[in-house]
Amino acid sequence: MEDELEDRVLHQTYVSFMKIISRFTSSVAFDTPVSYLWKMVRLYMLRSEFVVFTLGIIIVFMYLQTIELWSRTLLSRLSQAMYPLSAVQRMKLMEASNSDKQSWELKGSLSAAYAIKGRRMHMEDKFIINENINNSGISLFAIFDGHGGEFAANYAKDHLIQNLYNKVVELNAFKDGKVINPPSQDGQETPKKEQEINVSIERKTSFKKSVSAADDTSKKEITDPELLAQLSKARPITREVRTSTKPVKSVTVPLSSYLEKGKINFGKLLTDEVLAADRLLVEAAKRTLNVAGTTALIAVLEDNHLIVANVGDSRGVMCDSKGNAIPVSFDHKPQQVREQKRIEAAGGYIAFNGVWRVAGILATSRAMGDYPLKDKNFVIADPDILTFNLDDHKPMFLVLASDGLWDTFSNEEAVKFIKERIDEPDFGAKSLTLQAYYRGSVDNITVLIINFLNNKLSSSNISQ
């Protein structure tokens, strides 16, 4: 009763106040049409119901802005409607100078990639296209979506992919009998025979001529605003981490362990190489307290087999012969039951901050790097491996993309979009990337398309 009485008193006080203001203002004589406008305001807009409703709308908009939903969708579309860019202006934006580059594109014989910085201040996505490695019939594709800076994505591109490339060349030579290096009973490799043929491994060239982040970490900065804001609060995590004085041991695995019945076990190879690269990445990051991390989506094609390794929330989707969208990877999100249980078992927690985040910081539950969370075992780098027999699906194409695409496209929408544009020179990669941008994606966007309509891949090694 007391609460109800107080509400009534407040309401009557407000009404009385409004009546006083209304009478005072109505006594002012207006000889212009403004007087009629003021009467409308006085009769309708100053009513308590209207004021309360307006305040409610403002609170809703403030909440949407807090969770970034407003800025990601409605605000971006309104700005595009009010200030539309001409086709020429859009092309100039995407084709800026190298010092302020906005877009990257690469074209192989049967694959193509297109990436844009989008609405982010820095480009942290990296991608790789290696078709028909060393004429082995094996092709390697990868997308790395960095966060907290580009250090981790650069490291993975330069080291993980190079190691995989080397291992593929070595294993092909090994299984063909060109390299004779059988393991001994104690697991150590025996000396190679005199007739061993040396395998030449070519260093992949990069279209982006810049100093590798792995060689100069002191100049790398943390750029992700969410990560910066949250790390300032996460003192218990960052303070307990100390630079390790013990070097990471390099574990030598016999090549024969990756061969099964004369075939390369790519699942084991990808898992071992990702985890090994992550250990070295974390060690390198600790030396300069660089908290950057990256997702990793790696696809290997060998004959009629597709092997996909995924760490994080970049995603791959295949279009089968019937036009169906078949996911070839699954996102690692903190709110997933298995991921949440693993995080909580390690003593961590997940919190909602716009999206669900590990310890309120990271929106993906698995990643390479991120050493403050990695040391706590809240975040891991163990990849999920999925293998597909392409004869079973007879796919038309495969889409690999960072989450900048999947924030605005569903699997089915992306497949339908590319299916209608597969005849474009870049198989629709550019069109899909730009469409995600126009839909309001605020992240870096990278799209890589592999066209299976003609499955003979020529020798080509390119990367961004």
Side-chain angles (χ1 to χ4, degrees), residues 10-22:
L10 288 173
H11 181 265
Q12 289 297 328
T13 303
Y14 171 79
V15 171
S16 300
F17 179 72
M18 287 299 177
K19 286 181 178 179
I20 292 172
I21 294 177
S22 176

Side-chain angles (χ1 to χ4, degrees), residues 37 354 374:
L37 178 62
K374 188 68 61 64

Side-chain angles (χ1 to χ4, degrees), residues 75-368:
L75 190 59
S76 61
R77 292 180 183 179
L78 284 174
S79 64
Q80 291 172 19
M82 293 174 64
Y83 306 103
L85 295 176
S86 66
V88 175
Q89 289 175 322
R90 289 172 181 170
M91 292 307 298
K92 286 182 177 180
L93 175 66
M94 297 305 170
E95 296 174 0
S97 61
N98 289 331
S99 61
D100 189 25
K101 196 169 178 60
Q102 301 290 320
S103 66
W104 294 258
E105 60 181 320
L106 293 173
K107 177 72 167 63
S109 61
L110 292 175
S111 61
Y114 193 84
I116 60 172
K117 187 168 66 174
R119 295 177 173 86
R120 286 291 179 92
M121 293 297 294
H122 303 276
M123 181 59 170
E124 296 173 346
D125 283 6
K126 303 295 173 185
F127 60 84
I128 298 289
I129 294 177
N130 284 336
E131 296 183 351
N132 195 15
I133 296 175
N134 226 34
N135 294 318
S136 63
I138 300 172
S139 299
L140 176 65
F141 309 90
I143 287 180
F144 301 104
D145 181 3
H147 48 263
E150 62 180 23
F151 168 69
N154 273 334
Y155 192 99
K157 178 178 76 75
D158 294 337
H159 292 75
L160 171 58
I161 296 302
Q162 183 63 43
N163 291 340
L164 283 171
Y165 184 92
N166 294 350
K167 282 290 178 66
V168 168
V169 175
E170 292 172 356
L171 283 167
N172 267 286
F174 184 88
K175 71 178 184 178
D176 293 338
K178 294 179 181 179
V179 176
I180 303 174
N181 194 21
S184 60
Q185 294 181 353
D186 60 0
Q188 299 296 323
E189 295 183 359
T190 58
K192 300 176 183 179
K193 296 184 179 181
E194 294 181 358
Q195 65 267 31
E196 170 188 346
I197 300 176
N198 293 326
V199 179
S200 62
I201 302 172
E202 299 177 358
R203 175 70 182 184
K204 300 187 296 299
T205 58
S206 174
F207 280 78
K208 186 177 181 182
K209 296 181 180 179
S210 61
V211 179
S212 171
D215 300 327
D216 183 11
T217 58
S218 61
K219 296 181 181 179
K220 297 303 172 186
E221 298 179 351
I222 304 168
T223 59
D224 191 303
E226 284 286 347
L227 195 56
L228 284 170
Q230 291 299 326
L231 283 176
S232 63
K233 304 175 185 177
R235 298 297 183 188
I237 295 176
T238 55
R239 282 182 178 177
E240 293 181 9
V241 177
R242 295 291 183 268
T243 303
S244 175
T245 57
K246 297 180 180 179
V248 176
K249 294 182 179 180
S250 178
V251 180
T252 302
V253 180
L255 289 178
S256 58
S257 66
Y258 296 116
L259 294 176
E260 293 181 0
K261 298 179 180 179
K263 294 286 186 179
I264 300 175
N265 185 340
F266 282 104
K268 176 176 172 56
L269 176 63
L270 289 169
T271 300
D272 288 353
E273 290 299 326
V274 168
L275 293 177
D278 181 63
R279 287 193 295 269
L280 295 174
L281 168 57
V282 168
E283 186 67 16
K286 285 182 179 180
R287 288 195 290 268
T288 53
L289 299 180
N290 193 313
V291 299
T294 182
T295 69
L297 179 63
I298 306 171
V300 176
L301 280 174
E302 183 187 29
D303 299 329
N304 61 337
H305 285 88
L306 169 67
I307 304 93
V308 179
N310 180 53
V311 180
D313 56 6
S314 294
R315 191 187 310 163
V317 179
M318 179 169 57
C319 176
D320 68 7
S321 59
K322 299 179 181 178
N324 299 319
I326 301 175
V328 298
S329 71
F330 296 95
D331 300 353
H332 293 132
K333 293 294 188 181
Q335 67 269 27
Q336 291 173 345
V337 175
R338 66 166 184 170
E339 296 296 290
Q340 183 176 356
K341 287 183 177 179
R342 177 187 60 75
I343 294 167
E344 292 175 349
Y349 66 95
I350 66 173
F352 188 83
N353 181 18
V355 295
W356 287 101
R357 298 175 184 271
V358 180
I361 299 174
L362 191 61
T364 177
S365 57
R366 299 194 190 190
M368 297 178 65

Side-chain angles (χ1 to χ4, degrees), residues 9-57:
V9 170
L10 288 173
H11 181 265
Q12 289 297 328
T13 303
Y14 171 79
V15 171
S16 300
F17 179 72
M18 287 299 177
K19 286 181 178 179
I20 292 172
I21 294 177
S22 176
R23 288 177 181 177
F24 174 77
T25 55
S26 62
S27 64
V28 180
F30 291 100
D31 297 328
T32 64
V34 176
S35 60
Y36 296 103
L37 178 62
W38 175 245
K39 287 182 179 180
M40 295 297 293
V41 171
R42 196 161 45 83
L43 291 174
Y44 297 103
M45 298 187 67
L46 293 181
R47 294 174 66 90
S48 59
E49 296 86 351
F50 183 84
V51 173
V52 171
F53 177 77
T54 303
L55 289 175
I57 293 296

